[in-house]
Amino acid sequence: MRGLKIGLKMNIELPVEPPGKWVSTAFGATSRGRCRKTNEDSFLCHSEQGIWLVADGVGGNAGGKIASQLVCDELPALLLSGTTLRGAIAQIHARVKLAAQLNGGQLGMATTVVIARQHEDVMELCWVGDSRAYVYNEHSLKRLTRDHSLVQRLQDMGLGSLSETCAAVVKNVLTKCVGSLNIDILNAESVSIRLAASEKLLLCSDGLTNELKDSEIWHIISQAVNTETAIEQLLSAANQRGGKDNITAILIDAPRVC
């Protein structure tokens, strides 16, 4: 397994909170994969503040990384100031577009984002693009997000059975992303859920879901001895399958009262 952790970065959060407060623990990691020269994914684990996110940069060269890292750097402060998830993503969208026009940015740089925010025992999710959120339990892995992609749009139109050539062309085309020059005001989607004590929340980039089926992701998590091992094995399995893209995942335990 050690040889497969290509460009691997990890982050684990074990918050220490006063009695009576709802807290969650989480573990996240990212891998460059086996084919990309750089890692344009970024992720954030702020368990003490109840904020977790995955951002998958697009735009090539350094632009995607700039965009995804900008989301991680600036979005938490907006949330902690009282801005809603959807409002914060809309503001970050404008900042990424502005940064693309300034020195250090690249025109056309953009990023996906999927973010979870804890409010006591409730998890609020918000997303743009094709990074995903799932709920894991001992019986299943349930997808909570709907991709903002051309593939998803074609599937919604009943055109799910695409030829191999056509599928390859539209596979990575997003219909909505943070920093898109074609969108003035970005409207993210959102949903709120309560996790059962044994459930976990998975956030991930498409580098994971393009390599592993949902059933395979569920099996790896179900067999892992803990959250950290589950994430390490998910990234390892995606790299074994080809690792054609950057791979990032965060696994969050259900909130509990300390």
Side-chain angles (χ1 to χ4, degrees), residues 147-151 153 173-177 180 183:
D147 293 347
H148 299 135
S149 67
L150 185 53
V151 168
R153 181 172 291 180
V173 178
L174 298 177
T175 57
K176 189 184 293 187
C177 58
S180 172
I183 301 175

Side-chain angles (χ1 to χ4, degrees), residues 5-21:
K5 297 176 185 175
I6 301 172
L8 192 64
K9 295 181 181 179
M10 300 181 181
N11 185 289
I12 188 167
E13 294 283 345
L14 298 172
V16 178
E17 300 289 349
K21 183 171 182 177

Side-chain angles (χ1 to χ4, degrees), residues 94-156:
R95 294 183 188 184
V96 171
K97 290 176 67 175
L98 178 61
Q101 302 173 44
L102 302 176
N103 292 334
Q106 294 191 19
L107 195 63
M109 71 182 193
T111 184
T112 72
V113 64
V114 58
I115 181 168
R117 179 82 192 273
Q118 179 189 335
H119 302 280
E120 295 187 340
D121 63 335
V122 175
M123 289 288 193
E124 182 184 6
L125 299 167
C126 204
W127 72 95
V128 175
D130 59 0
S131 294
R132 294 178 178 178
Y134 293 85
V135 169
Y136 162 85
N137 61 40
E138 60 183 358
H139 303 294
S140 65
L141 186 74
K142 179 183 178 183
R143 184 170 147 194
L144 300 172
T145 54
R146 178 177 170 275
D147 293 347
H148 299 135
S149 67
L150 185 53
V151 168
Q152 183 67 63
R153 181 172 291 180
L154 292 172
Q155 290 175 347
D156 293 344

Side-chain angles (χ1 to χ4, degrees), residues 7 12 32 36 41 44 68 83 122-123:
I12 188 167
R32 176 170 52 85
R36 298 295 177 92
D41 285 3
L44 180 75
S68 67
T83 308
V122 175
M123 289 288 193

